[in-house]
Amino acid sequence: MRGETVFKRTFNKTLDYLTANEIGNTIPSENVLTEILKASRTTVRKVLEELQARKIIKGTAAKRVIVRHAKPTEYFPDNETVATSAQVEKKFMEWMLRGDRKAGDIVNGLELTRQFGVSTSAIREYLNRFSRFGLIERRPNSSWIIRGFTKEFALELFEVRELFETRSAIAFTSQSESSPAWQSLRKLEKEHRSLLKEISNRYHDFSDLDDRFHRLINNASNNRFIVDFYDIISLIFHYHYQWNKANEKQRNRAAILEHLDYIESLLSRDPQRVQLACKSHLNSARKTLLSSINVQALTPDEEQR
Amino acid sequence: MRGETVFKRTFNKTLDYLTANEIGNTIPSENVLTEILKASRTTVRKVLEELQARKIIKGTAAKRVIVRHAKPTEYFPDNETVATSAQVEKKFMEWMLRGDRKAGDIVNGLELTRQFGVSTSAIREYLNRFSRFGLIERRPNSSWIIRGFTKEFALELFEVRELFETRSAIAFTSQSESSPAWQSLRKLEKEHRSLLKEISNRYHDFSDLDDRFHRLINNASNNRFIVDFYDIISLIFHYHYQWNKANEKQRNRAAILEHLDYIESLLSRDPQRVQLACKSHLNSARKTLLSSINVQALTPDEEQR
DNA sequence: TATCAGTCTTTTATCGAAAAGAGACAACAA
DNA sequence: TTGTTGTCTCTTTTCGATAAAAGACTGATA
């Protein structure tokens, strides 16, 4: 009943691994591969069997050798490597954020079932998990209701974000000098500077950097609720910015500069400076999100003007 | 596949309703009953049919009349009126909080299935929903892991609680005079005073009052994330205090006094006073929770000393 | 003109099955 | 010892079926 997504993903990963090694080399033991590939040995063995069958590797279990590197066509297609649950997430976010859902609209689970081509249980499970993002609400024995990706949502999200991140940033400054967080911060600073230099070509890379930077700060809170909350922000930003490309380059450039200022304040360990930098960065992040909600909320009619 | 829990619950509720009315009275229309009983008309009709069959009511659909009041034995037993999902919650919380689960322990879904007598899906769904409480953590394609109801958990919970409630309490004071929240607050104040007078007998009633009081305050934030977060606190307190009865009377008496002080500060609309009262109350709430965790954390061996 | 009950359709809650994948154990080798 | 592979068992993921419950549509009634 389970599509072999883990197997296929692991298989592709193994091809990458083999390609990175010379032909003729011996392959690590199954146990070691388990570590490298982050899958169970059951799956690893299945992969090795398939590799033997395809004559990509040869030899007995005791000593397996790379015969050749795989052709790109031998990889499993990407869409077969993602679990149903992950597919549902992607489809649902698209349906939710791009479909112009209004507050009060009803989510018809069965309709999603048909639209997404997955079982009722998959939809049901996702809606349950998704409810923590505050965009839908359940009515027992009845359907889900959309709360809407509205201005209010963004404001509430940022109210909590600011509360949490200010606190985390201050906690960050009081970490001991030996904490690995400082090293990560310096590394991130470098990445920011190098991205800034090549901003014209690489501006898409910012969103990943942004995510890692804020996550590092929030982690300093050492509070599971604060850390978990960042998942909501991360998801919203991930999907929303994927579709709102207006002024992306300028926006990202400005954000990098703010980050650098923010990083400097953290390195100074001066709580007041940190608070200021944090607040001012989150303010512009809020503005960006709000403006893109307004764009989206326009009806086709209004957009023409 | 669905046990008739909604039907049975509605049936019991209808018996209550009929008992509150005189024999011989006409019964409201199906539509009106739908409102009163908070169930669909489909269910209401099923109930009415059953009532006819049992000769508790009589007449045609156009005019139905109460024939007699029901005997206590005619009610469906309580346990048949709760949905599987709700049963799972209760059983799981008991398993989790009383079973002395340690951080790092593994949750075996199948074992719970057997223990609780429900299907895998029911367990799965509950674990998913429960994960937002921060007590368990999922590892994809593998089992859930217990994070433990530990001192750290309580401290993290209270860190966020304090952040949220302080902000909500201050938001409370800036509500317009006409907001219904003020009326609710005054009503709660009265309830506190009357409970205080009868504290010797009615001290169990405090936990419900506590819940409503804090919920009222948190609602003033007008922020779904803050409001939703209170569900976590509410659940933890609900189950935990149900099992920790040590010094209940004194504890509750002290808490009522703190609440009254807190309410007074809210009525004064003085932010500084509010902040103080809020903080000091949450401090003692934290202490109470922490002390009961320590009691629970004792091994049987230690308890003997 | 709204509200009623009768009837029919659609959706949700719950279950159990089946396959993928994880993990445990034993026997062997280095 | 420590790590290896072969084998077996148990758990998780996903699906589809089915009964309960919700909801929509109808003509009748008042």
Side-chain angles (χ1 to χ4, degrees), chain A residues 121-138:
Chain A
S121 326
I123 295 288
R124 193 180 164 75
E125 172 162 341
Y126 186 71
L127 291 176
N128 256 316
R129 283 205 263 159
F130 184 73
S131 64
R132 86 186 189 91
F133 293 81
L135 285 168
I136 59 174
E137 199 172 10
R138 146 178 267 145

Side-chain angles (χ1 to χ4, degrees), chain A residues 170 173 264-276:
Chain A
I170 288 175
T173 61
E264 208 177 306
S265 80
L266 288 168
L267 291 169
S268 82
R269 293 190 180 232
D270 172 356
Q272 292 213 297
R273 255 187 87 185
V274 168
Q275 199 151 359
L276 223 70

Side-chain angles (χ1 to χ4, degrees), chain B residues 237-260:
Chain B
F237 274 50
H238 176 74
Y239 283 100
H240 203 67
Y241 283 150
Q242 208 169 318
W243 301 317
N244 174 29
K245 299 289 193 187
N247 297 324
E248 195 185 1
K249 200 192 291 186
Q250 290 114 291
R251 265 200 278 119
N252 289 354
R253 191 170 176 281
I256 292 176
L257 291 172
E258 285 178 13
H259 276 193
L260 284 170

Side-chain angles (χ1 to χ4, degrees), chain B residues 166-177:
Chain B
T166 312
R167 169 163 288 235
S168 303
I170 287 174
F172 196 102
T173 62
S174 59
Q175 291 175 116
S176 88
E177 189 56 61

Side-chain angles (χ1 to χ4, degrees), chain A residues 1-2 29-32 41 45 61 64 83-85 119-122 139 141-142:
Chain A
M1 285 294 183
R2 232 166 135 171
S29 79
E30 292 174 6
N31 283 317
V32 174
R41 197 155 71 83
R45 299 191 93 225
R64 280 180 271 239
T84 311
S85 50
S119 73
T120 47
S121 326
R139 294 177 308 166
N141 290 316
S142 183

